[in-house]
């Protein structure tokens, strides 16, 4: 980088070199049940120590019946969403059916990897139902590594919530109690997880938006979190 | 001081500082370098925006700074875009003038189409967000934070949104750019959140004037000459620049300003 500060009298007051990336924080979570899937995320958008807004949804209901939860850079997430919706529409026109959840999961990985050297700075979690009607959760890193899980939490409070889910959803260290959970049980655990994370993580708070995917369709619920 | 932008960012010739330039690294008569906004030059400071009972209101001062020099004192940073939108800008003024031209272009194009559609605030906001994101993706940003305010769409409603040089977007009932996001935003939230549909126009004016005054006291790149833009049922109104009253007598008693103790 050539030095330009020496020949120019004006010092930029804050920024010196342009960075195309920012981190807008936020936490997302998805849990697969036997015949349902819960996908949730808080709605706070932050930048540094600022709260930009208390309500910027980052969990998106997709037109094929899946739900995508995003975290990281909001502008990249919005752009990625637009591309996904466009591809889902093309798929409908070409094949006269909706894209399956598994196909979408693979496509998302490919889209992310195509930007391997200028990545979308987004941590995705995709939730929906697989072809057998069982809950399915896929989680991604920004360059398209992905894995299928039963439960996943990522984002700014991911490290706070994931071990809690391992214990309460996966029954780790308490395998004797293992049962399959119902929707109300999963919603209760999710809300508790987020209320606790809000206490410790400054980037999580304001509202929690929860989506429940079943074969009957998708329902959405809004839950209050602390606003401080 | 070198006043030729073409020389900015290049190694000095003559080697008065660093010794002779190696032209292997940068050929002497290579084509003109591509020029990009690497840093803002002539800048505007904070813009504030709030929702109130009948619509939305923005405020900004009229100063365009050149570094720490108060260079131009009558630059209007709130512009009308269409019949029901205002855009306020902080950051690089020349980039904002470029944005103004782009907006004018799409508004004329939409008008000439004569299809009964109009561009409302949410459309202007969406357009600007895609332009800003695209420019950042090409590492050639428009160095601004923009606030878009107005009637949401043809069904009415209030719109108050934000876009910046990285393409970050959001909507809120109070927005602020630059130092305003540190100094004015907490005051705005306290005054406005939960009262978006009850605040009167007079109350809204007072909130913004008070916040702009606080900014004038603390932000060294600000001016007490400000403008306000209002969008409500009677359309867009942008006030002429007017002066805010301020009181500096207290400074006499503060060490470092006037007091000798």
């Amino acid at each position: 980088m050539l030095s330009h500060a020496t020949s120019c009298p004006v010092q930029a007051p804050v920024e010196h070199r342009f960075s195309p990336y920012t981190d807008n924080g936020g936490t997302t979570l998805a849990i697969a049940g036997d015949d349902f899937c819960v996908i949730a995320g808080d709605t706070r958008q932050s930048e540094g120590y600022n709260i930009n807004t208390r309500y910027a949804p980052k969990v998106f209901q997709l037109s094929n019946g899946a739900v995508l939860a995003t975290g990281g850079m909001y502008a990249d997430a919005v752009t990625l969403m637009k591309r996904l919706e466009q591809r889902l529409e093309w798929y409908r026109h070409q094949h006269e059916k909706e894209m399956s959840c598994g196909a979408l999961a693979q496509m998302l990985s490919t889209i992310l990897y195509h930007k391997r050297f200028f990545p979308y700075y987004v941590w995705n979690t995709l939730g929906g139902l697989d072809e057998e009607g069982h809950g399915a959760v896929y989680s991604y890193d920004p360059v398209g590594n992905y894995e299928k899980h039963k439960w996943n939490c990522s984002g700014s409070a991911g490290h706070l919530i994931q071990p809690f889910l391992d214990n309460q959803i996966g029954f780790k260290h308490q395998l004797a109690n293992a049962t399959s959970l119902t929707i109300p049980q999963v919603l209760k655990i999710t809300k508790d997880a987020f209320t606790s994370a809000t206490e410790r993580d400054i980037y999580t708070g304001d509202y929690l938006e929860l989506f429940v995917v079943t074969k009957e369709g998708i329902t959405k619920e809004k839950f209050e979190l602390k606003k401080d | 001081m070198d006043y030729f932008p073409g020389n900015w960012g290049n190694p000095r010739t003559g080697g008065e500082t660093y010794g002779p330039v190696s032209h292997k690294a940068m050929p002497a008569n290579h084509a003109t370098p591509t020029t990009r906004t690497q840093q803002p030059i002539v800048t505007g400071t904070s813009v504030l925006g709030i929702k109130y009972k009948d619509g939305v209101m923005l405020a900004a001062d009229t100063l365009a700074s050149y570094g720490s020099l108060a260079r131009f004192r009558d630059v209007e940073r709130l512009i009308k875009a269409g019949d029901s939108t205002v855009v306020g800008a902080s950051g690089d003024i020349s980039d904002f003038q470029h944005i103004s031209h782009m907006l004018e272009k799409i508004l004329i194009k939409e008008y000439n189409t004569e299809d009964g559609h109009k561009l409302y605030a949410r459309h202007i906001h969406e357009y600007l967000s895609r332009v800003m994101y695209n420019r950042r993706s090409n590492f050639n940003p428009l160095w601004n934070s923009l606030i878009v305010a107005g009637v949401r769409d043809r069904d009415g409603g209030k719109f108050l949104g934000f876009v910046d040089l990285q393409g970050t977007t959001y909507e809120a009932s109070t927005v602020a750019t630059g130092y305003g996001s540190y100094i004015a935003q907490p005051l705005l939230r306290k005054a406005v959140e939960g009262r978006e549909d009850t605040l009167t126009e007079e109350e809204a004016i007072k909130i913004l004037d008070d916040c702009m005054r606080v900014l004038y006291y603390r932000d060294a790149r600000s001016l007490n000459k400000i403008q306000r833009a209002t969008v409500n049922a009677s359309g867009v109104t942008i006030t002429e620049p007017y002066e805010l009253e301020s009181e500096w007598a207290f400074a006499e008693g503060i060490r470092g300003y006037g007091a000798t103790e």
Side-chain angles (χ1 to χ4, degrees), chain A residues 102-212:
Chain A
L104 174 63
Q106 176 56 54
M107 190 184 75
L108 175 54
S109 169
T110 311
I111 288 176
L112 290 168
Y113 194 75
H114 272 167
K115 270 176 69 71
R116 174 64 180 77
F117 297 109
F118 184 26
Y120 288 123
Y121 187 62
V122 182
W123 278 266
N124 289 292
T125 308
L126 183 67
L129 300 176
D130 64 18
E131 266 108 321
E132 284 85 51
H134 303 305
V137 171
Y138 299 88
S139 78
Y140 299 78
D141 81 350
V143 290
N145 289 299
Y146 81 114
E147 199 182 352
K148 193 178 180 204
H149 310 270
K150 285 281 176 201
W151 63 88
N152 180 256
C153 181
S154 52
S156 57
H159 63 290
L160 296 174
I161 297 180
Q162 184 68 41
F164 173 72
L165 297 184
D166 292 344
N167 184 251
Q168 293 296 308
I169 305 290
F171 296 100
K172 295 295 155 77
H173 304 288
Q174 53 158 344
L175 291 174
N177 302 325
T179 54
S180 57
L181 294 164
T182 63
I183 293 176
Q185 283 174 315
V186 169
L187 290 178
K188 197 159 174 278
I189 291 168
T190 303
K191 288 170 188 171
D192 283 349
F194 271 89
T195 1
S196 298
T198 302
E199 292 289 327
R200 285 282 182 167
D201 178 26
I202 57 167
Y203 301 114
T204 301
D206 297 326
Y207 300 96
L208 175 64
E209 220 163 44
L210 306 109
F211 289 79
V212 183

Side-chain angles (χ1 to χ4, degrees), chain B residues 13-243:
Chain B
T13 51
E16 70 277 24
T17 313
Y18 305 109
V21 173
S22 162
H23 291 290
K24 278 183 202 157
M26 182 175 249
N29 57 352
H30 69 300
T32 320
T34 53
T35 51
R36 293 174 166 174
T37 308
Q38 307 274 6
Q39 54 171 310
I41 304 296
V42 178
T43 59
T45 186
S46 323
V47 184
L48 309 181
I50 57 172
K51 288 187 185 176
Y52 73 104
K53 184 160 63 104
D54 316 312
V56 281
M57 211 181 267
L58 297 189
D61 68 26
T62 60
L63 178 65
S65 305
Y66 182 66
S68 59
L69 174 70
R71 183 66 181 83
F72 304 106
R73 294 157 50 132
D74 52 3
V75 173
E76 307 198 351
R77 297 192 287 123
L78 301 176
I79 55 159
K80 181 169 175 281
D83 300 330
S84 52
T85 310
V86 272
V87 178
S90 59
D92 193 277
I93 297 294
S94 60
D95 281 355
F96 179 53
Q97 289 176 349
H98 175 65
I99 289 169
S100 307
H101 282 111
M102 287 193 299
L103 284 176
E104 195 60 33
K105 202 165 113 179
I106 58 154
L107 283 158
I108 290 171
K109 210 174 162 190
E110 189 66 31
Y111 179 81
N112 289 337
T113 309
E114 289 191 309
D115 56 0
H117 288 289
K118 276 182 172 179
L119 293 178
Y120 287 90
R122 101 180 154 82
H123 308 119
I124 303 275
H125 180 256
E126 180 73 22
Y127 171 75
L128 288 175
S129 76
R130 290 340 290 170
V131 169
M132 298 297 269
Y133 182 83
N134 186 245
R135 291 287 295 250
R136 85 101 215 188
S137 299
N138 292 317
F139 285 91
N140 187 15
L142 292 166
W143 212 291
N144 299 103
S145 293
L146 304 168
I147 292 180
V148 182
V151 179
R152 174 174 293 275
D153 50 31
R154 65 176 173 193
D155 304 323
K158 294 172 250 185
F159 185 96
L160 184 58
F162 173 97
V163 195
D164 74 6
L165 76 167
Q166 289 164 324
T168 308
T169 55
Y170 55 87
E171 283 180 52
S173 55
T174 63
V175 285
T177 69
Y179 270 103
S181 66
Y182 301 105
I183 296 172
Q185 183 70 289
L187 305 168
L188 293 174
R189 292 218 173 114
K190 197 171 177 183
V192 175
E193 274 188 357
R195 288 194 273 275
E196 296 87 353
D197 299 323
T198 48
L199 283 175
T200 64
E201 186 153 333
E202 291 69 38
E203 287 171 318
I205 292 171
K206 179 158 191 319
I207 290 165
L208 285 179
D209 279 356
D210 286 349
C211 285
M212 290 305 286
R213 185 164 19 247
V214 173
L215 282 171
Y216 175 58
Y217 280 131
R218 282 293 172 179
D219 178 3
R221 306 284 168 264
S222 70
L223 199 66
N224 61 339
K225 197 169 151 195
I226 68 162
Q227 283 183 293
R228 258 185 305 100
T230 312
V231 187
N232 53 29
S234 47
V236 177
T237 335
I238 303 180
T239 67
E240 285 301 307
Y242 63 96
E243 219 163 277

